[in-house]
Amino acid sequence: MDKDPYAVLGVAPDAEQDDIKKAYRRLARELHPDANGGDLETEERFKEVAAAYEVIGDPERRDRYDRYGAAGFTGGAGDVFGGGLGDIFEAFFGGGGSPFGGGGGGRAQARGVDLEVALAIELEDAVFGGEHEVAVRTAVACKDCEATGAAPGTSTTTCPDCGGAGQVRMVRQSILGQMVTAGPCRRCAAQGTIIESPCPACRGEGRTVVDKTYTVEVPPGVDTGTTLRLTGRGAVGVRGAGTGDLYVEVRVRPHERFDRQGADLVHVLHVPVTQAALGATVPLETLDGVEDLEIPAGTQSGRVVRLRDHGVPRLRGRGRGDLHVQLIVDVPEQLTDEEEELLRRFAELRGDEVAPADAGFLSRIRSAFR
């Protein structure tokens, strides 16, 4: 290629291969023809970026360029572009080939873009799963022209410049010999066909923008950050090209009573000192319904009682986590005279040193005059 591939991608000559790949992917997204409405200048820039990456994106070819410069590539387009632009799109888009066509004469268009949407759910939905609806603004096939882009009653015609390939090749002589370059056809914007009468509904795009609602099946065990993929529910490509995917990012709202820790749930339960000292069985509202919780006699504040299999299902495992109930013993702040008398008798039996009764009596008198 004529230009310095490092300068084209905006990286230093000593850049790491990962940095080169990141720079290429970023530029390819920005300059992709589908995102720029067939702007010719942007298409030329896109072609330069693709060619630069083919030279320095591969360690062996990069080494050859670093040693010999452009003179290291004298075999025509096959050397400069490797397998051609189709290979680049195969790697970048994960299949579908190049929207500019390949050496075999066939023309494949890039599929539509992937879409992302956030879905907020309650903790109960994360535990038990269920169906939820998400709304997205997306591109769908135009019904008026049946995704052809041509006005009803008309049809597209094969581009005379590229013969329907969406790609044109040029041969030129240089001091290094005969050079063959390939790029998108400007006349048809790499589509391979020309529309004489564009569809008025989609303006020749073969697709229209609409608001759609999809039903998402949320599996039990999801957590904030879980991403669900709905294949084929993204935006449709230009003129009947493939459809992207829809990615749903799950966000679980905080719960008023339960704190999630992985597959386990934690609940803080306040119990009176009498139940903690003597033990008790109390009803506890869990996500699975009311359960009897056993409070052992002599329970100290901070003790944790575990209810097995009352937590969150493991998304890619078996079974459920547990519910951990942390018991907080509440000491009464105010006592009646009878309660105070009983507690003092209890302290006397245990031999515990406590504040004298007058201190409590004087304290109550002070409180009455505040």
Side-chain angles (χ1 to χ4, degrees), residues 47-266:
K47 183 175 68 173
E48 290 178 356
V49 167
Y53 183 69
E54 276 297 291
V55 174
I56 62 175
D58 178 79
E60 293 184 4
R61 293 178 182 173
R62 179 184 181 183
D63 180 67
R64 193 190 336 168
Y65 179 83
D66 290 343
R67 289 172 179 267
Y68 308 109
F73 302 90
T74 59
D79 279 330
V80 178
F81 292 105
L85 289 174
D87 290 343
I88 298 177
F89 278 87
E90 178 71 25
F92 188 74
F93 294 105
S98 165
F100 306 141
R107 182 181 60 84
Q109 299 176 9
R111 69 184 182 96
V113 298
D114 296 331
L115 301 177
E116 297 180 2
V117 65
L119 173 63
I121 63 174
E122 303 297 336
L123 178 61
E124 290 84 351
D125 300 319
V127 172
F128 301 110
E131 293 184 347
H132 298 268
E133 291 187 343
V134 294
V136 294
R137 191 164 181 80
T138 184
V140 300
C142 178
K143 295 181 178 179
D144 289 13
C145 65
E146 298 182 348
T148 64
T154 67
S155 60
T156 61
T157 58
T158 302
C159 175
D161 288 7
C162 65
Q167 182 185 59
V168 293
R169 297 178 181 273
M170 296 172 287
V171 180
R172 63 184 180 88
Q173 296 293 330
S174 72
I175 59 174
L176 301 176
Q178 190 178 74
M179 302 292 291
V180 180
T181 59
C185 177
R186 295 187 177 184
R187 183 166 183 176
C188 66
Q191 294 297 314
T193 57
I194 294 177
I195 299 176
E196 300 293 345
S197 301
C199 171
C202 65
R203 299 182 181 181
E205 281 279 308
R207 57 183 180 176
T208 56
V209 178
V210 299
D211 293 317
K212 294 202 67 174
T213 300
Y214 293 110
T215 299
V216 182
E217 183 69 33
V218 176
V222 298
D223 200 356
T224 295
T226 299
T227 301
L228 307 176
R229 177 183 178 184
L230 277 65
T231 304
R233 296 300 177 90
V236 69
V238 177
R239 300 181 195 172
T243 306
D245 300 328
L246 174 61
Y247 291 88
V248 181
E249 182 181 354
V250 177
R251 299 173 185 173
V252 183
R253 296 188 182 97
H255 196 274
E256 61 179 0
R257 292 188 298 117
F258 299 105
D259 179 32
R260 180 174 180 175
Q261 297 180 1
D264 294 332
L265 295 176
V266 177

Side-chain angles (χ1 to χ4, degrees), residues 335-337 339-345 347-348 352-366:
L335 297 172
T336 66
D337 291 340
E339 290 171 341
E340 182 176 345
E341 183 180 351
L342 289 173
L343 275 179
R344 290 188 179 282
R345 177 59 179 160
E348 182 181 349
D352 296 335
E353 291 287 341
V354 296
D358 288 345
F361 175 72
L362 292 175
S363 176
R364 288 196 292 274
I365 292 177
R366 294 191 192 98

